[in-house]
Amino acid sequence: MKPRNADITVIEFDGSRELFRMEELQNRLFGAFVAVGRGDCASLAEDIALATERALRDCDRPNLTFGRGELDAAIVRLLENAGYPQAAQVYMRRGVSSVLTIDTKAKAEIALLLRKHLSCSDIRFNHIVDAVVQAMQKAEIPAATPTLLLELGRHFEREYREAPLQLPLPQIPAFDRESLLPLLSPEAAHFVESGILRVAGIHTLFPSLRFYCLLNDFAAEKKYQPPMTELEVVPDLRKIGRLIDEMRIVIDRALDLPEPLPCLLTLPDLPEFIEQYFEQDRAGIAPVAGELADVIASEIGCTLYKLSY
């Protein structure tokens, strides 16, 4: 005798094997009922799913393995016999089974089927749908299974390949630390020279301003003594933000680009700074880190592309 909790295996159309999940079947059935305006059939969907699971377990097959096609066909017959033929059609369309057939002149239905399985631009997709419809008409096939239509769609997807996406490298003028220092205020220049504030060279693959601030070095210069409080530190962090913004403005003006470069700010030692000077354990660092990082970012006159720590 088979155990009541034995696994039921479903062989999909592509040959893969999946475990039968009663809850997944229930959701699919309920979706079919909702699609035809019968949202009141939630309990019926559950009943059908439970009945299906029981019937599969009571089957005389020793290994409880079933094909997706035969399983879906049985459920469709059950829905039709129960008086829900429209729900049966929706169920099969969403499952891409080989039992239901689609009128090959129904271009909208074919497009709806293919859209769920193909990923491409709208222009290419429309070409694929037209090609599938024309192929069916040329072969004089009045109705075809979703599986056949999908295979044709994938064939034409390979045939109608789009030109590869081109990502040209932008032309950005060079800009280095030596060019930056003479343009800064004495205070900002001091923090750059001391290494507390840094800006990386502009990368050609993703042109951007990448700023770094070493808060432990800043704390050492300010001679912080733990434990510190947020009220004591926030004014200094606002100043850091204003100095970074000064660097951003100076570089943008010097480069004179049509659009400002995106800005990224990294605070690599912020967790250690909080742990040391706020005497905060690791579990409580995250919320404090977010608040302090936001204080610095709030003084920068642009929306940061990325803020990390």
Side-chain angles (χ1 to χ4, degrees), residues 257-275:
L257 297 174
E259 295 290 337
L261 294 176
C263 292
L264 296 80
L265 173 61
T266 302
L267 308 170
D269 58 354
L270 178 57
E272 291 76 15
F273 169 77
I274 295 171
E275 190 173 20

PDB file of all heavy atoms in Angstrom, residues 257-275:
ATOM      1  N   LEU A 257      30.051  69.455 -18.248  1.00  0.00           N
ATOM      2  CA  LEU A 257      29.334  68.472 -19.053  1.00  0.00           C
ATOM      3  C   LEU A 257      27.883  68.902 -19.249  1.00  0.00           C
ATOM      4  O   LEU A 257      27.343  69.680 -18.460  1.00  0.00           O
ATOM      5  CB  LEU A 257      29.372  67.105 -18.359  1.00  0.00           C
ATOM      6  CG  LEU A 257      30.769  66.495 -18.175  1.00  0.00           C
ATOM      7  CD1 LEU A 257      30.676  65.229 -17.350  1.00  0.00           C
ATOM      8  CD2 LEU A 257      31.420  66.215 -19.521  1.00  0.00           C
ATOM      9  N   PRO A 258      27.219  68.388 -20.294  1.00  0.00           N
ATOM     10  CA  PRO A 258      25.805  68.739 -20.513  1.00  0.00           C
ATOM     11  C   PRO A 258      24.916  68.357 -19.335  1.00  0.00           C
ATOM     12  O   PRO A 258      23.959  69.054 -19.020  1.00  0.00           O
ATOM     13  CB  PRO A 258      25.435  67.946 -21.776  1.00  0.00           C
ATOM     14  CG  PRO A 258      26.725  67.654 -22.452  1.00  0.00           C
ATOM     15  CD  PRO A 258      27.750  67.543 -21.378  1.00  0.00           C
ATOM     16  N   GLU A 259      25.215  67.241 -18.687  1.00  0.00           N
ATOM     17  CA  GLU A 259      24.447  66.781 -17.536  1.00  0.00           C
ATOM     18  C   GLU A 259      25.405  66.457 -16.402  1.00  0.00           C
ATOM     19  O   GLU A 259      26.490  65.916 -16.631  1.00  0.00           O
ATOM     20  CB  GLU A 259      23.634  65.531 -17.890  1.00  0.00           C
ATOM     21  CG  GLU A 259      22.557  65.746 -18.936  1.00  0.00           C
ATOM     22  CD  GLU A 259      21.399  66.592 -18.407  1.00  0.00           C
ATOM     23  OE1 GLU A 259      21.218  66.628 -17.170  1.00  0.00           O
ATOM     24  OE2 GLU A 259      20.692  67.186 -19.231  1.00  0.00           O
ATOM     25  N   PRO A 260      25.050  66.776 -15.154  1.00  0.00           N
ATOM     26  CA  PRO A 260      25.913  66.424 -14.021  1.00  0.00           C
ATOM     27  C   PRO A 260      26.105  64.916 -13.933  1.00  0.00           C
ATOM     28  O   PRO A 260      25.210  64.143 -14.269  1.00  0.00           O
ATOM     29  CB  PRO A 260      25.152  66.964 -12.799  1.00  0.00           C
ATOM     30  CG  PRO A 260      24.177  67.956 -13.339  1.00  0.00           C
ATOM     31  CD  PRO A 260      23.825  67.498 -14.723  1.00  0.00           C
ATOM     32  N   LEU A 261      27.271  64.512 -13.485  1.00  0.00           N
ATOM     33  CA  LEU A 261      27.528  63.086 -13.306  1.00  0.00           C
ATOM     34  C   LEU A 261      26.807  62.559 -12.065  1.00  0.00           C
ATOM     35  O   LEU A 261      26.643  63.286 -11.082  1.00  0.00           O
ATOM     36  CB  LEU A 261      29.038  62.843 -13.152  1.00  0.00           C
ATOM     37  CG  LEU A 261      29.900  63.139 -14.371  1.00  0.00           C
ATOM     38  CD1 LEU A 261      31.367  62.945 -14.033  1.00  0.00           C
ATOM     39  CD2 LEU A 261      29.510  62.245 -15.539  1.00  0.00           C
ATOM     40  N   PRO A 262      26.365  61.313 -12.082  1.00  0.00           N
ATOM     41  CA  PRO A 262      25.762  60.724 -10.866  1.00  0.00           C
ATOM     42  C   PRO A 262      26.805  60.646  -9.759  1.00  0.00           C
ATOM     43  O   PRO A 262      27.995  60.442 -10.021  1.00  0.00           O
ATOM     44  CB  PRO A 262      25.325  59.335 -11.324  1.00  0.00           C
ATOM     45  CG  PRO A 262      26.122  59.046 -12.544  1.00  0.00           C
ATOM     46  CD  PRO A 262      26.387  60.358 -13.213  1.00  0.00           C
ATOM     47  N   CYS A 263      26.338  60.810  -8.522  1.00  0.00           N
ATOM     48  CA  CYS A 263      27.234  60.812  -7.369  1.00  0.00           C
ATOM     49  C   CYS A 263      27.010  59.565  -6.513  1.00  0.00           C
ATOM     50  O   CYS A 263      25.869  59.187  -6.239  1.00  0.00           O
ATOM     51  CB  CYS A 263      27.010  62.059  -6.518  1.00  0.00           C
ATOM     52  SG  CYS A 263      27.524  63.579  -7.325  1.00  0.00           S
ATOM     53  N   LEU A 264      28.110  58.979  -6.087  1.00  0.00           N
ATOM     54  CA  LEU A 264      28.070  57.834  -5.181  1.00  0.00           C
ATOM     55  C   LEU A 264      28.883  58.187  -3.941  1.00  0.00           C
ATOM     56  O   LEU A 264      29.959  58.783  -4.052  1.00  0.00           O
ATOM     57  CB  LEU A 264      28.654  56.578  -5.831  1.00  0.00           C
ATOM     58  CG  LEU A 264      27.938  55.990  -7.045  1.00  0.00           C
ATOM     59  CD1 LEU A 264      28.275  56.752  -8.323  1.00  0.00           C
ATOM     60  CD2 LEU A 264      28.300  54.522  -7.219  1.00  0.00           C
ATOM     61  N   LEU A 265      28.379  57.833  -2.786  1.00  0.00           N
ATOM     62  CA  LEU A 265      29.082  58.105  -1.532  1.00  0.00           C
ATOM     63  C   LEU A 265      29.234  56.806  -0.759  1.00  0.00           C
ATOM     64  O   LEU A 265      28.264  56.085  -0.531  1.00  0.00           O
ATOM     65  CB  LEU A 265      28.315  59.127  -0.688  1.00  0.00           C
ATOM     66  CG  LEU A 265      28.863  59.374   0.721  1.00  0.00           C
ATOM     67  CD1 LEU A 265      30.298  59.907   0.663  1.00  0.00           C
ATOM     68  CD2 LEU A 265      27.972  60.332   1.487  1.00  0.00           C
ATOM     69  N   THR A 266      30.470  56.529  -0.345  1.00  0.00           N
ATOM     70  CA  THR A 266      30.766  55.348   0.460  1.00  0.00           C
ATOM     71  C   THR A 266      31.367  55.782   1.785  1.00  0.00           C
ATOM     72  O   THR A 266      32.291  56.607   1.812  1.00  0.00           O
ATOM     73  CB  THR A 266      31.741  54.409  -0.274  1.00  0.00           C
ATOM     74  OG1 THR A 266      31.170  54.020  -1.526  1.00  0.00           O
ATOM     75  CG2 THR A 266      32.028  53.166   0.548  1.00  0.00           C
ATOM     76  N   LEU A 267      30.827  55.232   2.849  1.00  0.00           N
ATOM     77  CA  LEU A 267      31.346  55.462   4.203  1.00  0.00           C
ATOM     78  C   LEU A 267      31.853  54.106   4.702  1.00  0.00           C
ATOM     79  O   LEU A 267      31.174  53.410   5.449  1.00  0.00           O
ATOM     80  CB  LEU A 267      30.244  56.004   5.111  1.00  0.00           C
ATOM     81  CG  LEU A 267      29.489  57.233   4.578  1.00  0.00           C
ATOM     82  CD1 LEU A 267      28.271  57.533   5.434  1.00  0.00           C
ATOM     83  CD2 LEU A 267      30.415  58.440   4.509  1.00  0.00           C
ATOM     84  N   PRO A 268      33.063  53.704   4.289  1.00  0.00           N
ATOM     85  CA  PRO A 268      33.499  52.318   4.486  1.00  0.00           C
ATOM     86  C   PRO A 268      33.654  51.895   5.939  1.00  0.00           C
ATOM     87  O   PRO A 268      33.522  50.716   6.258  1.00  0.00           O
ATOM     88  CB  PRO A 268      34.838  52.261   3.742  1.00  0.00           C
ATOM     89  CG  PRO A 268      35.306  53.669   3.674  1.00  0.00           C
ATOM     90  CD  PRO A 268      34.077  54.514   3.591  1.00  0.00           C
ATOM     91  N   ASP A 269      33.970  52.856   6.835  1.00  0.00           N
ATOM     92  CA  ASP A 269      34.203  52.469   8.235  1.00  0.00           C
ATOM     93  C   ASP A 269      33.099  52.961   9.165  1.00  0.00           C
ATOM     94  O   ASP A 269      33.289  53.054  10.376  1.00  0.00           O
ATOM     95  CB  ASP A 269      35.558  52.996   8.710  1.00  0.00           C
ATOM     96  CG  ASP A 269      35.667  54.517   8.587  1.00  0.00           C
ATOM     97  OD1 ASP A 269      34.740  55.150   8.038  1.00  0.00           O
ATOM     98  OD2 ASP A 269      36.684  55.075   9.039  1.00  0.00           O
ATOM     99  N   LEU A 270      31.910  53.265   8.626  1.00  0.00           N
ATOM    100  CA  LEU A 270      30.827  53.764   9.466  1.00  0.00           C
ATOM    101  C   LEU A 270      30.438  52.772  10.570  1.00  0.00           C
ATOM    102  O   LEU A 270      30.267  53.178  11.732  1.00  0.00           O
ATOM    103  CB  LEU A 270      29.613  54.110   8.601  1.00  0.00           C
ATOM    104  CG  LEU A 270      28.363  54.605   9.335  1.00  0.00           C
ATOM    105  CD1 LEU A 270      28.678  55.834  10.179  1.00  0.00           C
ATOM    106  CD2 LEU A 270      27.233  54.916   8.344  1.00  0.00           C
ATOM    107  N   PRO A 271      30.284  51.466  10.298  1.00  0.00           N
ATOM    108  CA  PRO A 271      29.939  50.539  11.387  1.00  0.00           C
ATOM    109  C   PRO A 271      30.989  50.538  12.505  1.00  0.00           C
ATOM    110  O   PRO A 271      30.641  50.541  13.692  1.00  0.00           O
ATOM    111  CB  PRO A 271      29.853  49.181  10.682  1.00  0.00           C
ATOM    112  CG  PRO A 271      29.541  49.515   9.249  1.00  0.00           C
ATOM    113  CD  PRO A 271      30.294  50.787   8.983  1.00  0.00           C
ATOM    114  N   GLU A 272      32.270  50.530  12.148  1.00  0.00           N
ATOM    115  CA  GLU A 272      33.323  50.528  13.159  1.00  0.00           C
ATOM    116  C   GLU A 272      33.335  51.845  13.934  1.00  0.00           C
ATOM    117  O   GLU A 272      33.577  51.865  15.149  1.00  0.00           O
ATOM    118  CB  GLU A 272      34.689  50.300  12.498  1.00  0.00           C
ATOM    119  CG  GLU A 272      34.886  48.904  11.924  1.00  0.00           C
ATOM    120  CD  GLU A 272      34.151  48.702  10.610  1.00  0.00           C
ATOM    121  OE1 GLU A 272      33.727  49.703   9.982  1.00  0.00           O
ATOM    122  OE2 GLU A 272      33.993  47.526  10.202  1.00  0.00           O
ATOM    123  N   PHE A 273      33.063  52.954  13.232  1.00  0.00           N
ATOM    124  CA  PHE A 273      32.986  54.269  13.882  1.00  0.00           C
ATOM    125  C   PHE A 273      31.900  54.269  14.963  1.00  0.00           C
ATOM    126  O   PHE A 273      32.103  54.735  16.083  1.00  0.00           O
ATOM    127  CB  PHE A 273      32.694  55.323  12.810  1.00  0.00           C
ATOM    128  CG  PHE A 273      32.330  56.676  13.343  1.00  0.00           C
ATOM    129  CD1 PHE A 273      33.306  57.530  13.842  1.00  0.00           C
ATOM    130  CD2 PHE A 273      31.015  57.105  13.334  1.00  0.00           C
ATOM    131  CE1 PHE A 273      32.961  58.788  14.330  1.00  0.00           C
ATOM    132  CE2 PHE A 273      30.662  58.359  13.818  1.00  0.00           C
ATOM    133  CZ  PHE A 273      31.649  59.207  14.316  1.00  0.00           C
ATOM    134  N   ILE A 274      30.738  53.722  14.636  1.00  0.00           N
ATOM    135  CA  ILE A 274      29.631  53.676  15.606  1.00  0.00           C
ATOM    136  C   ILE A 274      29.971  52.747  16.766  1.00  0.00           C
ATOM    137  O   ILE A 274      29.741  53.074  17.938  1.00  0.00           O
ATOM    138  CB  ILE A 274      28.340  53.221  14.908  1.00  0.00           C
ATOM    139  CG1 ILE A 274      27.906  54.263  13.873  1.00  0.00           C
ATOM    140  CG2 ILE A 274      27.224  52.966  15.910  1.00  0.00           C
ATOM    141  CD1 ILE A 274      26.777  53.811  12.983  1.00  0.00           C
ATOM    142  N   GLU A 275      30.549  51.610  16.436  1.00  0.00           N
ATOM    143  CA  GLU A 275      30.878  50.641  17.475  1.00  0.00           C
ATOM    144  C   GLU A 275      31.889  51.221  18.464  1.00  0.00           C
ATOM    145  O   GLU A 275      31.786  51.021  19.681  1.00  0.00           O
ATOM    146  CB  GLU A 275      31.430  49.370  16.830  1.00  0.00           C
ATOM    147  CG  GLU A 275      31.589  48.211  17.798  1.00  0.00           C
ATOM    148  CD  GLU A 275      31.987  46.933  17.074  1.00  0.00           C
ATOM    149  OE1 GLU A 275      32.490  47.012  15.933  1.00  0.00           O
ATOM    150  OE2 GLU A 275      31.790  45.858  17.654  1.00  0.00           O
TER     151      GLU A 275
END
